Amino acid sequence: MCEKTTVTAYISGGMTLVPDHEAVFAAEHERLEGLGYVVVDPSAINGAITGRSYESCMRHDLALLLVDIDVCVMLPGWETSRGAVAERMVAQVIGLTVYDDPAEVPAVGTPSVRAAA
């Protein structure tokens, strides 16, 4: 069995009611990459696909969260987003590390950060 050597972060936060969410997600994406994470950014993925319903986007995003993600990073204001609340709940249920404050996310290589088994 191969051991996973990368640490993958999923960014979660409000999109539907946040006019500049693309910029907020993109800035966090860049910051996390700078810390050594492979980043899954649902805003960039959903933004590239037009004509999908909210429900379709959420199904897709939750499926992403279930596969090969190690940490879930919550953006400020996540508490007011029903999608982000759902993503956080799923992340906790499946045992991912959840950071409610992006400033608390340590760099990859820090002893407390490792890829999920």
Side-chain angles (χ1 to χ4, degrees):
M1 177 176 246
C2 295
E3 183 177 327
K4 185 176 175 189
T5 58
T6 59
V7 182
T8 305
Y10 180 93
I11 304 171
S12 180
M15 289 191 231
T16 306
L17 301 176
V18 180
D20 64 342
H21 73 269
E22 294 96 346
V24 174
F25 274 77
E28 185 61 17
H29 185 141
E30 185 176 323
R31 192 184 78 79
L32 289 169
E33 282 184 338
L35 292 172
Y37 291 88
V38 172
V39 181
V40 175
D41 177 352
S43 176
I45 295 166
N46 290 330
I49 304 169
T50 58
R52 289 177 51 197
S53 68
Y54 170 84
E55 292 79 9
S56 176
C57 288
M58 280 305 303
R59 283 188 201 106
H60 182 262
D61 295 349
L62 288 170
L64 289 173
L65 190 58
L66 294 172
V67 181
D68 290 332
I69 301 296
D70 302 299
V71 301
C72 183
V73 180
M74 308 305 295
L75 295 175
W78 66 267
E79 303 92 337
T80 62
S81 166
R82 66 183 177 145
V85 169
E87 289 170 342
R88 184 179 186 278
M89 184 181 347
V90 169
Q92 287 181 313
V93 167
I94 64 173
L96 300 182
T97 300
V98 177
Y99 294 100
D100 289 334
D101 180 353
E104 295 178 355
V105 179
V108 171
T110 303
S112 64
V113 178
R114 59 180 164 63

